[in-house]
Amino acid sequence: MDLQAGAAGWGLAAVRTGLFIDGEWQSGDGSISVVNPADGAVLAEVANGTPHHARLALDAAVRAQEAWGRMAPRARANLMHAAHRLMLEREDIIARTMTLESGKPLTESRAEFLLSADFLLWFAEQVAHLHGSYATSSQGGCRVVVAQQPVGPSLLITPWNFPLLMIVRKAGAALAAGCTTIIKTAQETPLTGALFTEILEEVGFPRGVVNLIHTNSSAPISDFLLRDPRLRKVSFTGSTRVGSQLLALGAENIVNCSMELGGDGPFVVLDDADVDLAVEQAIICKFRNAGQACVAANRIIVDRKVEGDFTERFVAKVKALTVGNGLDPVDVGPMISARQRDRLYDTLADLTRAGGEVLTGGRAIQRPGFFFEPTVVRFDGPNAVICNNELFAPIATIFGVDGVDEALDFANNSRYGLASYVFTRDLTRAVAFGERLEFGMVGINRGIMADPAAPFGGTKASGIGREAGHHGIYEFLEQKYMALTVGDLGVPA
Ligand code: NAD
Protein backbone atom coordinates (compact mmCIF):
# COMPACT_ATOMS: atom_id res chain seq x y z
CA MET A 1 0.00 0.00 0.00
CA ASP A 2 3.04 2.25 0.00
CA LEU A 3 2.75 5.28 -2.13
CA GLN A 4 5.61 5.72 -4.53
CA ALA A 5 5.42 9.46 -4.41
CA GLY A 6 7.73 9.90 -7.37
CA ALA A 7 5.33 7.86 -9.43
CA ALA A 8 2.53 10.13 -8.28
CA GLY A 9 4.48 13.04 -9.70
CA TRP A 10 5.56 14.70 -6.47
CA GLY A 11 9.25 14.28 -7.05
CA LEU A 12 9.45 12.98 -3.48
CA ALA A 13 10.52 9.68 -2.00
CA ALA A 14 8.02 7.08 -0.86
CA VAL A 15 5.71 7.87 2.03
CA ARG A 16 4.28 5.05 4.13
CA THR A 17 0.52 4.91 3.92
CA GLY A 18 -0.26 2.14 6.39
CA LEU A 19 -1.07 2.17 10.07
CA PHE A 20 1.96 1.62 12.30
CA ILE A 21 1.08 -0.82 15.05
CA ASP A 22 3.43 -2.84 17.23
CA GLY A 23 6.39 -2.05 15.04
CA GLU A 24 4.74 -3.07 11.75
CA TRP A 25 3.15 -1.08 8.94
CA GLN A 26 -0.28 -2.57 8.45
CA SER A 27 -3.24 -2.18 6.19
CA GLY A 28 -6.52 -0.88 7.58
CA ASP A 29 -10.17 -1.29 6.84
CA GLY A 30 -10.54 0.56 3.56
CA SER A 31 -8.69 3.75 2.86
CA ILE A 32 -8.84 7.53 3.19
CA SER A 33 -8.11 9.85 0.27
CA VAL A 34 -5.65 12.61 1.06
CA VAL A 35 -6.49 15.68 -0.97
CA ASN A 36 -4.22 18.55 -1.97
CA PRO A 37 -6.23 21.64 -0.97
CA ALA A 38 -4.38 23.70 -3.56
CA ASP A 39 -5.97 21.86 -6.48
CA GLY A 40 -8.36 19.26 -5.12
CA ALA A 41 -6.29 16.38 -6.52
CA VAL A 42 -5.96 13.14 -4.57
CA LEU A 43 -2.36 12.81 -3.34
CA ALA A 44 -2.56 9.40 -1.74
CA GLU A 45 -4.78 6.79 -0.17
CA VAL A 46 -3.89 5.95 3.41
CA ALA A 47 -5.09 3.03 5.50
CA ASN A 48 -8.24 3.64 7.51
CA GLY A 49 -8.09 2.55 11.14
CA THR A 50 -11.04 1.29 13.19
CA PRO A 51 -11.54 0.42 16.88
CA HIS A 52 -10.06 -2.99 16.02
CA HIS A 53 -6.77 -1.30 15.09
CA ALA A 54 -7.02 0.95 18.11
CA ARG A 55 -7.22 -2.14 20.31
CA LEU A 56 -4.17 -3.67 18.62
CA ALA A 57 -2.29 -0.39 19.13
CA LEU A 58 -3.27 -0.20 22.78
CA ASP A 59 -2.30 -3.85 23.34
CA ALA A 60 1.11 -3.04 21.86
CA ALA A 61 1.49 0.18 23.86
CA VAL A 62 0.59 -1.63 27.07
CA ARG A 63 3.06 -4.44 26.37
CA ALA A 64 5.83 -1.94 25.67
CA GLN A 65 5.12 0.39 28.58
CA GLU A 66 7.04 -1.26 31.38
CA ALA A 67 10.33 -1.62 29.53
CA TRP A 68 10.09 1.83 27.93
CA GLY A 69 9.28 3.53 31.20
CA ARG A 70 12.18 1.77 32.93
CA MET A 71 14.74 2.27 30.18
CA ALA A 72 17.71 4.31 31.37
CA PRO A 73 17.00 7.99 30.69
CA ARG A 74 20.22 8.32 28.74
CA ALA A 75 19.21 5.46 26.44
CA ARG A 76 15.79 7.06 25.81
CA ALA A 77 17.46 10.41 25.24
CA ASN A 78 19.90 8.84 22.76
CA LEU A 79 17.03 7.52 20.68
CA MET A 80 15.39 10.93 20.69
CA HIS A 81 18.62 12.66 19.70
CA ALA A 82 19.01 10.15 16.86
CA ALA A 83 15.47 10.92 15.73
CA HIS A 84 16.28 14.63 15.80
CA ARG A 85 19.37 14.12 13.65
CA LEU A 86 17.53 11.99 11.12
CA MET A 87 14.67 14.44 11.05
CA LEU A 88 17.04 17.26 10.07
CA GLU A 89 18.12 15.21 7.04
CA ARG A 90 14.49 15.00 5.88
CA GLU A 91 13.52 18.65 5.90
CA ASP A 92 12.75 18.73 2.20
CA ILE A 93 10.43 15.77 2.00
CA ILE A 94 8.64 16.61 5.24
CA ALA A 95 8.16 20.28 4.42
CA ARG A 96 6.96 19.53 0.88
CA THR A 97 4.59 16.87 2.14
CA MET A 98 3.16 19.30 4.68
CA THR A 99 2.58 21.86 1.97
CA LEU A 100 0.98 19.30 -0.32
CA GLU A 101 -1.48 17.94 2.20
CA SER A 102 -2.20 21.07 4.28
CA GLY A 103 -1.80 23.77 1.63
CA LYS A 104 0.44 26.03 3.71
CA PRO A 105 3.18 27.89 1.81
CA LEU A 106 6.50 26.07 1.71
CA THR A 107 8.22 28.81 3.73
CA GLU A 108 5.70 28.19 6.53
CA SER A 109 6.16 24.42 6.27
CA ARG A 110 9.92 24.88 6.59
CA ALA A 111 9.45 27.15 9.61
CA GLU A 112 7.12 24.59 11.19
CA PHE A 113 9.62 21.85 10.42
CA LEU A 114 12.52 23.70 12.09
CA LEU A 115 10.44 24.59 15.11
CA SER A 116 9.26 20.98 15.43
CA ALA A 117 12.85 19.72 15.26
CA ASP A 118 13.73 22.18 18.00
CA PHE A 119 10.88 20.86 20.15
CA LEU A 120 12.13 17.31 19.69
CA LEU A 121 15.61 18.38 20.73
CA TRP A 122 14.19 20.23 23.74
CA PHE A 123 12.44 17.09 24.98
CA ALA A 124 15.48 14.89 24.25
CA GLU A 125 17.53 17.25 26.42
CA GLN A 126 15.09 16.93 29.31
CA VAL A 127 14.97 13.15 29.56
CA ALA A 128 18.03 12.78 31.74
CA HIS A 129 17.25 15.84 33.87
CA LEU A 130 14.01 14.90 35.58
CA HIS A 131 14.22 15.52 39.30
CA GLY A 132 12.79 13.69 42.25
CA SER A 133 13.17 14.80 45.84
CA TYR A 134 14.05 13.55 49.31
CA ALA A 135 12.85 15.33 52.44
CA THR A 136 12.35 14.75 56.14
CA SER A 137 8.70 14.32 57.09
CA SER A 138 7.32 17.08 59.27
CA GLN A 139 7.04 14.63 62.21
CA GLY A 140 10.55 13.29 61.71
CA GLY A 141 11.24 9.57 61.67
CA CYS A 142 10.16 9.24 58.09
CA ARG A 143 11.57 10.40 54.80
CA VAL A 144 9.44 11.71 51.94
CA VAL A 145 10.87 10.36 48.71
CA VAL A 146 9.24 11.61 45.52
CA ALA A 147 9.97 10.11 42.12
CA GLN A 148 8.57 10.93 38.68
CA GLN A 149 6.96 8.04 36.85
CA PRO A 150 5.39 7.90 33.39
CA VAL A 151 1.60 8.19 33.39
CA GLY A 152 1.39 5.25 31.01
CA PRO A 153 0.03 4.49 27.53
CA SER A 154 -1.05 7.77 25.98
CA LEU A 155 -3.39 8.69 23.15
CA LEU A 156 -2.26 11.77 21.22
CA ILE A 157 -4.98 13.30 19.01
CA THR A 158 -3.77 16.00 16.63
CA PRO A 159 -5.32 18.49 14.18
CA TRP A 160 -4.49 19.22 10.55
CA ASN A 161 -3.44 22.84 10.82
CA PHE A 162 0.08 22.13 12.17
CA PRO A 163 0.48 18.51 11.11
CA LEU A 164 4.06 18.11 12.33
CA LEU A 165 4.35 20.50 15.25
CA MET A 166 1.29 19.18 17.04
CA ILE A 167 2.55 15.59 16.82
CA VAL A 168 6.10 16.39 17.87
CA ARG A 169 4.99 18.60 20.76
CA LYS A 170 2.94 15.75 22.19
CA ALA A 171 4.98 12.70 21.21
CA GLY A 172 8.26 14.39 22.20
CA ALA A 173 7.00 15.03 25.72
CA ALA A 174 5.32 11.63 26.07
CA LEU A 175 8.31 9.64 24.85
CA ALA A 176 10.73 11.68 26.94
CA ALA A 177 8.61 11.00 30.01
CA GLY A 178 8.66 7.27 29.29
CA CYS A 179 5.09 6.88 28.04
CA THR A 180 4.19 4.67 25.11
CA THR A 181 2.02 6.35 22.50
CA ILE A 182 -0.83 6.01 20.05
CA ILE A 183 -0.67 8.95 17.66
CA LYS A 184 -3.95 9.76 15.92
CA THR A 185 -3.36 11.97 12.92
CA ALA A 186 -5.96 14.27 11.42
CA GLN A 187 -7.47 12.58 8.40
CA GLU A 188 -6.66 15.58 6.20
CA THR A 189 -2.90 15.39 6.95
CA PRO A 190 -1.84 11.82 7.72
CA LEU A 191 1.29 11.75 5.54
CA THR A 192 3.36 14.13 7.66
CA GLY A 193 2.64 11.99 10.72
CA ALA A 194 3.69 8.91 8.77
CA LEU A 195 7.02 10.52 7.84
CA PHE A 196 7.69 11.39 11.46
CA THR A 197 6.75 7.91 12.65
CA GLU A 198 9.03 6.36 10.08
CA ILE A 199 11.92 8.35 11.56
CA LEU A 200 11.18 6.98 15.02
CA GLU A 201 10.98 3.48 13.58
CA GLU A 202 14.25 3.83 11.69
CA VAL A 203 16.26 5.04 14.66
CA GLY A 204 15.11 2.02 16.66
CA PHE A 205 12.33 2.95 19.04
CA PRO A 206 11.25 -0.42 20.47
CA ARG A 207 8.12 -1.96 19.00
CA GLY A 208 4.89 -0.81 20.56
CA VAL A 209 6.35 2.44 21.91
CA VAL A 210 5.07 4.43 18.94
CA ASN A 211 1.84 3.51 17.18
CA LEU A 212 0.19 5.53 14.44
CA ILE A 213 -3.45 5.48 13.46
CA HIS A 214 -5.27 7.32 10.70
CA THR A 215 -9.03 7.17 10.55
CA ASN A 216 -11.98 8.74 8.81
CA SER A 217 -14.08 8.13 11.90
CA SER A 218 -12.39 9.37 15.06
CA ALA A 219 -15.20 9.13 17.59
CA PRO A 220 -15.48 5.31 17.71
CA ILE A 221 -11.73 5.06 18.19
CA SER A 222 -11.52 7.56 21.03
CA ASP A 223 -14.69 6.07 22.57
CA PHE A 224 -13.11 2.65 22.51
CA LEU A 225 -9.73 3.74 23.85
CA LEU A 226 -11.02 6.02 26.59
CA ARG A 227 -13.29 3.30 27.90
CA ASP A 228 -10.37 0.89 28.20
CA PRO A 229 -8.81 1.41 31.65
CA ARG A 230 -5.38 0.51 30.30
CA LEU A 231 -5.23 3.87 28.51
CA ARG A 232 -3.95 6.35 31.10
CA LYS A 233 -3.64 9.61 29.22
CA VAL A 234 -5.20 11.57 26.40
CA SER A 235 -3.54 14.66 25.03
CA PHE A 236 -5.78 16.41 22.54
CA THR A 237 -5.37 19.43 20.28
CA GLY A 238 -8.43 20.52 18.39
CA SER A 239 -11.78 22.18 18.80
CA THR A 240 -13.35 22.97 22.15
CA ARG A 241 -16.42 20.97 21.12
CA VAL A 242 -14.48 17.72 20.66
CA GLY A 243 -12.23 18.45 23.65
CA SER A 244 -15.26 18.72 25.87
CA GLN A 245 -16.62 15.40 24.55
CA LEU A 246 -13.29 13.73 25.29
CA LEU A 247 -13.20 15.15 28.82
CA ALA A 248 -16.66 13.70 29.43
CA LEU A 249 -15.54 10.31 28.10
CA GLY A 250 -12.32 10.40 30.09
CA ALA A 251 -14.29 11.11 33.27
CA GLU A 252 -15.54 7.53 33.36
CA ASN A 253 -12.11 6.02 33.92
CA ILE A 254 -10.59 9.20 35.38
CA VAL A 255 -8.16 9.42 32.48
CA ASN A 256 -5.45 12.04 32.78
CA CYS A 257 -6.37 14.71 30.18
CA SER A 258 -4.44 17.56 28.56
CA MET A 259 -6.46 19.80 26.27
CA GLU A 260 -5.24 22.39 23.77
CA LEU A 261 -8.43 23.82 22.36
CA GLY A 262 -9.78 26.76 20.42
CA GLY A 263 -8.84 30.41 20.73
CA ASP A 264 -10.24 33.87 20.03
CA GLY A 265 -7.00 35.84 20.02
CA PRO A 266 -7.45 39.54 20.74
CA PHE A 267 -4.67 41.57 19.12
CA VAL A 268 -4.60 44.92 20.91
CA VAL A 269 -2.87 48.01 19.51
CA LEU A 270 -2.66 50.79 22.11
CA ASP A 271 -2.33 54.47 21.19
CA ASP A 272 1.44 54.59 21.76
CA ALA A 273 2.20 51.48 19.68
CA ASP A 274 4.78 51.31 16.92
CA VAL A 275 2.14 51.12 14.18
CA ASP A 276 4.49 49.75 11.52
CA LEU A 277 5.51 46.91 13.81
CA ALA A 278 1.90 46.25 14.81
CA VAL A 279 0.83 46.06 11.16
CA GLU A 280 3.67 43.75 10.21
CA GLN A 281 2.98 41.41 13.13
CA ALA A 282 -0.79 41.52 12.61
CA ILE A 283 -0.29 40.30 9.03
CA ILE A 284 1.73 37.32 10.23
CA CYS A 285 -0.53 36.61 13.18
CA LYS A 286 -3.68 36.74 11.07
CA PHE A 287 -2.72 35.31 7.69
CA ARG A 288 -0.18 32.63 8.61
CA ASN A 289 -1.67 29.28 7.56
CA ALA A 290 -4.52 31.23 5.88
CA GLY A 291 -5.75 32.20 9.35
CA GLN A 292 -6.24 28.56 10.35
CA ALA A 293 -4.35 28.75 13.64
CA CYS A 294 -5.63 28.55 17.20
CA VAL A 295 -3.35 31.45 18.12
CA ALA A 296 -4.35 33.62 15.14
CA ALA A 297 -5.49 37.20 15.74
CA ASN A 298 -9.26 36.81 15.81
CA ARG A 299 -10.12 40.36 16.85
CA ILE A 300 -7.78 43.24 16.07
CA ILE A 301 -8.59 45.89 18.66
CA VAL A 302 -7.10 49.30 17.89
CA ASP A 303 -7.19 52.53 19.88
CA ARG A 304 -9.05 55.13 17.85
CA LYS A 305 -6.07 57.50 18.03
CA VAL A 306 -4.10 55.20 15.74
CA GLU A 307 -6.91 53.23 14.13
CA GLY A 308 -7.01 55.19 10.86
CA ASP A 309 -3.27 54.93 10.39
CA PHE A 310 -3.20 51.23 11.35
CA THR A 311 -6.14 50.28 9.14
CA GLU A 312 -4.83 52.11 6.07
CA ARG A 313 -1.43 50.43 6.26
CA PHE A 314 -2.89 47.04 7.20
CA VAL A 315 -5.35 47.02 4.30
CA ALA A 316 -2.60 48.04 1.86
CA LYS A 317 -0.50 45.08 2.99
CA VAL A 318 -3.44 42.69 2.83
CA LYS A 319 -4.16 43.75 -0.75
CA ALA A 320 -0.55 43.00 -1.62
CA LEU A 321 -0.64 39.43 -0.27
CA THR A 322 -0.20 36.82 -2.96
CA VAL A 323 -2.46 33.78 -2.81
CA GLY A 324 -1.85 30.45 -4.50
CA ASN A 325 -0.31 27.00 -4.43
CA GLY A 326 2.04 26.77 -1.46
CA LEU A 327 4.77 25.22 -3.61
CA ASP A 328 4.98 28.54 -5.45
CA PRO A 329 6.41 31.60 -3.66
CA VAL A 330 3.08 32.86 -2.27
CA ASP A 331 2.08 34.48 1.01
CA VAL A 332 -1.22 32.68 1.58
CA GLY A 333 -2.34 29.18 0.64
CA PRO A 334 -5.78 27.60 0.43
CA MET A 335 -8.23 26.65 3.16
CA ILE A 336 -8.02 23.01 4.16
CA SER A 337 -11.25 21.95 2.44
CA ALA A 338 -14.14 23.13 0.30
CA ARG A 339 -16.37 22.92 3.37
CA GLN A 340 -14.09 25.22 5.37
CA ARG A 341 -13.99 27.68 2.49
CA ASP A 342 -17.71 27.62 1.82
CA ARG A 343 -18.67 28.29 5.43
CA LEU A 344 -16.97 31.70 5.11
CA TYR A 345 -19.90 33.12 3.16
CA ASP A 346 -22.07 32.58 6.25
CA THR A 347 -19.35 34.00 8.46
CA LEU A 348 -19.15 37.14 6.35
CA ALA A 349 -22.91 37.49 6.27
CA ASP A 350 -22.91 37.36 10.09
CA LEU A 351 -20.16 39.97 10.29
CA THR A 352 -21.81 42.42 7.89
CA ARG A 353 -25.23 41.92 9.48
CA ALA A 354 -23.64 42.94 12.77
CA GLY A 355 -22.38 46.18 11.19
CA GLY A 356 -19.02 45.16 9.77
CA GLU A 357 -17.78 46.89 6.63
CA VAL A 358 -15.74 44.82 4.16
CA LEU A 359 -12.66 46.88 3.28
CA THR A 360 -11.07 44.33 0.98
CA GLY A 361 -11.63 40.73 -0.14
CA GLY A 362 -14.80 38.87 0.75
CA ARG A 363 -15.01 36.15 -1.90
CA ALA A 364 -13.77 32.71 -2.73
CA ILE A 365 -11.18 32.70 -5.51
CA GLN A 366 -12.45 31.01 -8.65
CA ARG A 367 -9.77 28.46 -9.41
CA PRO A 368 -9.20 24.82 -8.56
CA GLY A 369 -8.52 24.34 -4.85
CA PHE A 370 -10.10 25.93 -1.80
CA PHE A 371 -8.94 29.54 -1.86
CA PHE A 372 -10.51 32.57 -0.24
CA GLU A 373 -9.43 36.18 -0.67
CA PRO A 374 -7.55 37.74 2.25
CA THR A 375 -10.30 39.86 3.74
CA VAL A 376 -10.60 42.79 6.16
CA VAL A 377 -13.81 43.72 7.93
CA ARG A 378 -13.96 46.89 10.04
CA PHE A 379 -16.30 47.60 12.93
CA ASP A 380 -16.86 51.04 14.37
CA GLY A 381 -16.57 49.87 17.96
CA PRO A 382 -16.51 46.76 20.13
CA ASN A 383 -18.97 44.20 18.85
CA ALA A 384 -19.54 40.78 20.32
CA VAL A 385 -20.30 39.17 16.96
CA ILE A 386 -17.17 37.04 16.95
CA CYS A 387 -16.34 36.96 20.64
CA ASN A 388 -16.44 33.21 21.39
CA ASN A 389 -16.21 32.27 17.70
CA GLU A 390 -12.98 31.37 16.02
CA LEU A 391 -12.88 32.73 12.48
CA PHE A 392 -10.17 30.22 11.53
CA ALA A 393 -9.93 31.90 8.15
CA PRO A 394 -8.05 34.60 6.23
CA ILE A 395 -10.56 37.16 7.49
CA ALA A 396 -9.29 39.97 9.71
CA THR A 397 -11.70 42.00 11.82
CA ILE A 398 -10.73 45.43 13.18
CA PHE A 399 -12.53 47.12 16.07
CA GLY A 400 -11.89 50.73 17.11
CA VAL A 401 -11.84 51.36 20.88
CA ASP A 402 -11.51 54.36 23.18
CA GLY A 403 -8.60 53.89 25.53
CA VAL A 404 -7.03 51.13 27.55
CA ASP A 405 -10.04 50.15 29.66
CA GLU A 406 -12.34 49.62 26.71
CA ALA A 407 -9.59 47.67 24.92
CA LEU A 408 -9.08 45.41 27.95
CA ASP A 409 -12.80 44.82 28.56
CA PHE A 410 -13.38 43.89 24.95
CA ALA A 411 -10.26 41.70 24.79
CA ASN A 412 -11.40 39.73 27.83
CA ASN A 413 -14.95 39.38 26.55
CA SER A 414 -14.50 35.77 25.46
CA ARG A 415 -15.06 32.26 26.66
CA TYR A 416 -11.62 31.46 25.29
CA GLY A 417 -8.26 32.21 26.86
CA LEU A 418 -5.48 30.97 24.58
CA ALA A 419 -3.26 33.60 22.91
CA SER A 420 -3.52 37.38 23.18
CA TYR A 421 -1.34 40.22 21.98
CA VAL A 422 -0.64 43.79 23.03
CA PHE A 423 1.33 46.47 21.24
CA THR A 424 2.67 49.49 23.13
CA ARG A 425 6.03 51.26 23.44
CA ASP A 426 5.59 51.53 27.21
CA LEU A 427 6.89 48.46 29.00
CA THR A 428 5.12 49.22 32.29
CA ARG A 429 1.84 49.55 30.46
CA ALA A 430 2.52 46.35 28.54
CA VAL A 431 3.09 44.40 31.74
CA ALA A 432 0.05 45.89 33.52
CA PHE A 433 -2.14 45.17 30.49
CA GLY A 434 -0.66 41.70 30.01
CA GLU A 435 -1.31 40.75 33.62
CA ARG A 436 -4.98 41.64 33.28
CA LEU A 437 -5.53 39.71 30.05
CA GLU A 438 -7.35 36.49 30.92
CA PHE A 439 -5.31 34.40 28.51
CA GLY A 440 -2.67 31.71 28.90
CA MET A 441 -0.25 33.53 26.60
CA VAL A 442 0.44 37.19 25.92
CA GLY A 443 2.61 38.35 23.03
CA ILE A 444 4.06 41.78 23.78
CA ASN A 445 4.96 43.59 20.58
CA ARG A 446 5.04 40.28 18.70
CA GLY A 447 2.50 38.18 16.84
CA ILE A 448 4.22 34.79 17.08
CA MET A 449 5.00 33.00 20.32
CA ALA A 450 5.46 29.21 19.99
CA ASP A 451 8.81 28.20 21.48
CA PRO A 452 10.08 24.98 23.06
CA ALA A 453 11.09 26.90 26.20
CA ALA A 454 7.61 28.40 26.62
CA PRO A 455 4.57 26.80 28.29
CA PHE A 456 1.97 26.71 25.51
CA GLY A 457 -1.68 26.53 26.52
CA GLY A 458 -4.82 28.31 27.48
CA THR A 459 -7.29 29.15 30.20
CA LYS A 460 -11.11 28.88 30.21
CA ALA A 461 -12.54 27.09 27.16
CA SER A 462 -9.09 27.02 25.55
CA GLY A 463 -7.97 24.06 27.56
CA ILE A 464 -6.25 22.42 30.46
CA GLY A 465 -2.52 21.96 30.84
CA ARG A 466 0.58 23.25 29.08
CA GLU A 467 2.77 21.82 26.36
CA ALA A 468 6.57 22.21 26.36
CA GLY A 469 8.37 24.74 28.51
CA HIS A 470 9.82 23.38 31.72
CA HIS A 471 6.54 21.84 32.78
CA GLY A 472 5.16 20.28 29.57
CA ILE A 473 6.89 16.97 30.19
CA TYR A 474 5.20 16.73 33.60
CA GLU A 475 1.86 16.40 31.80
CA PHE A 476 3.06 12.85 31.06
CA LEU A 477 4.53 12.12 34.50
CA GLU A 478 3.00 11.32 37.84
CA GLN A 479 4.59 11.85 41.20
CA LYS A 480 5.20 8.71 43.19
CA TYR A 481 5.59 9.36 46.90
CA MET A 482 7.34 6.75 48.96
CA ALA A 483 7.30 7.01 52.73
CA LEU A 484 10.59 5.71 54.03
CA THR A 485 10.91 4.63 57.60
CA VAL A 486 14.28 5.55 59.02
CA GLY A 487 15.65 4.75 62.40
CA ASP A 488 18.83 4.76 64.31
CA LEU A 489 21.21 2.25 62.78
CA GLY A 490 18.34 0.28 61.25
CA VAL A 491 16.07 0.25 64.31
CA PRO A 492 12.70 1.74 63.20
CA ALA A 493 11.81 4.98 64.98
P1 NAD B 1 -11.34 18.99 15.50
O1 NAD B 1 -11.60 19.06 16.95
O2 NAD B 1 -12.46 18.76 14.58
O3 NAD B 1 -10.27 17.85 15.18
C1 NAD B 1 -9.06 17.72 15.89
C2 NAD B 1 -8.68 16.25 15.94
O4 NAD B 1 -9.68 15.54 16.64
C3 NAD B 1 -8.57 15.57 14.57
O5 NAD B 1 -7.59 14.57 14.64
C4 NAD B 1 -9.94 14.92 14.40
O6 NAD B 1 -9.89 13.82 13.53
C5 NAD B 1 -10.20 14.49 15.82
N1 NAD B 1 -11.61 14.32 16.16
C6 NAD B 1 -12.70 14.88 15.61
N2 NAD B 1 -13.82 14.44 16.23
C7 NAD B 1 -13.40 13.59 17.20
C8 NAD B 1 -14.07 12.82 18.20
N3 NAD B 1 -15.39 12.85 18.33
N4 NAD B 1 -13.32 12.07 19.03
C9 NAD B 1 -11.97 12.05 18.92
N5 NAD B 1 -11.29 12.74 18.02
C10 NAD B 1 -11.99 13.52 17.17
O7 NAD B 1 -10.56 20.33 15.16
P2 NAD B 1 -10.01 20.78 13.73
O8 NAD B 1 -11.08 21.46 13.00
O9 NAD B 1 -9.30 19.68 13.04
O10 NAD B 1 -8.88 21.79 14.22
C11 NAD B 1 -9.15 23.08 14.46
C12 NAD B 1 -9.33 23.35 15.94
O11 NAD B 1 -8.16 22.99 16.66
C13 NAD B 1 -9.54 24.80 16.20
O12 NAD B 1 -10.54 25.01 17.16
C14 NAD B 1 -8.20 25.25 16.74
O13 NAD B 1 -8.24 26.39 17.54
C15 NAD B 1 -7.77 24.06 17.50
N6 NAD B 1 -6.32 24.07 17.70
C16 NAD B 1 -5.85 24.30 18.95
C17 NAD B 1 -4.49 24.35 19.17
C18 NAD B 1 -3.96 24.60 20.54
O14 NAD B 1 -2.80 24.31 20.76
N7 NAD B 1 -4.74 25.09 21.48
C19 NAD B 1 -3.59 24.15 18.11
C20 NAD B 1 -4.10 23.91 16.83
C21 NAD B 1 -5.49 23.87 16.65
Side-chain angles (χ1 to χ4, degrees), residues 236-257:
F236 171 76
T237 295
S239 60
T240 297
R241 181 183 61 80
V242 174
S244 147
Q245 289 168 6
L246 294 173
L247 281 169
L249 263 176
E252 242 171 78
N253 284 328
I254 320 291
V255 177
N256 182 320
C257 296

Side-chain angles (χ1 to χ4, degrees), residues 375-386:
T375 298
V376 182
V377 181
R378 178 184 170 273
F379 288 82
D380 207 25
N383 189 311
V385 62
I386 57 160

Side-chain angles (χ1 to χ4, degrees), residues 8 18 27 107 173 184 188 193 246 256 275 315-317 324 357 362 368-369 415 472 480 482 487:
S27 53
T107 46
K184 215 252 354 128
E188 295 84 350
L246 294 173
N256 182 320
V275 173
V315 170
K317 282 209 185 281
E357 179 193 358
R415 69 193 281 245
K480 163 73 65 72
M482 287 189 282

Side-chain angles (χ1 to χ4, degrees), residues 158 160-161 184 218 222 236-239 260-262 294 390 456:
T158 57
W160 46 263
N161 58 347
K184 215 252 354 128
S218 299
S222 54
F236 171 76
T237 295
S239 60
E260 296 287 347
L261 309 176
C294 53
E390 270 187 301
F456 188 101

Side-chain angles (χ1 to χ4, degrees), residues 63-78:
R63 275 196 301 274
Q65 178 59 59
E66 164 107 9
W68 180 244
R70 285 181 172 278
M71 185 184 267
R74 180 60 66 210
R76 272 207 315 270
N78 285 345

